[in-house]
Amino acid sequence: EVQLVESGGGLVQAGGSLRLSCAASGFTFDDYDIGWFRQAPGKEREGISCISRHDSSTYYSDSVKGRFTISSDNAKNTVYLQMNSLKPDDTAVYYCGAVRFVSPHSWDKIFKYDYWGQGTQVIVSS
């Protein structure tokens, strides 16, 4: 059974940090690129970061560039999202997704992704 399980969300004050984890199982981890998306109340799901496991390229949305860092631990089949300098606007449910292959033009396209996790809530208080 394919599973993506996010963890690490929680409540944090503005300016604080959190590290999200996305643990994958049930498929060949090396064959998939992993993206992070988020959905705030009343808003559409947006792509914020992605790591290509084929060539280690990383991608970030303008809203998180310079504050968030994506990384991968192959031994643990896990992708992390280190989030620093958090703002109230970062409040959302965060999801990870798996896709066979991303490009600079497609990494944030929801319809490209094959598998999704259940999400983890992040709340940033002001």
Side-chain angles (χ1 to χ4, degrees), residues 66-78:
R67 300 187 298 124
F68 291 9
T69 303
I70 192 169
S71 63
S72 177
D73 185 333
N74 297 344
K76 296 183 178 180
N77 282 6
T78 300

Side-chain angles (χ1 to χ4, degrees), residues 52-63:
S52 168
R53 299 176 47 69
H54 299 85
D55 63 7
S56 298
S57 296
T58 56
Y59 306 96
Y60 298 95
S61 66
D62 289 342
S63 60

Side-chain angles (χ1 to χ4, degrees), residues 5-105:
V5 180
E6 303 96 336
S7 61
L11 174 63
V12 63
Q13 288 189 333
S17 298
L18 284 174
R19 189 178 77 157
L20 305 184
S21 300
C22 172
S25 62
F27 61 94
T28 304
F29 191 56
D30 289 348
D31 289 345
Y32 284 80
D33 298 334
I34 303 295
W36 281 99
F37 289 70
R38 67 185 182 187
Q39 188 165 16
K43 295 187 177 181
E44 295 184 352
R45 190 174 298 191
E46 63 167 339
I48 56 172
S49 187
C50 182
I51 184 164
S52 168
R53 299 176 47 69
H54 299 85
D55 63 7
S56 298
S57 296
T58 56
Y59 306 96
Y60 298 95
S61 66
D62 289 342
S63 60
V64 306
K65 196 174 297 182
R67 300 187 298 124
F68 291 9
T69 303
I70 192 169
S71 63
S72 177
D73 185 333
N74 297 344
K76 296 183 178 180
N77 282 6
T78 300
V79 170
Y80 302 100
L81 186 69
Q82 178 66 43
M83 308 189 297
N84 298 330
S85 303
L86 284 162
K87 307 173 183 178
D89 284 350
D90 294 319
T91 295
V93 178
Y94 284 69
Y95 301 89
C96 63
V99 56
R100 287 301 297 266
F101 177 76
V102 295
S103 72
H105 306 291

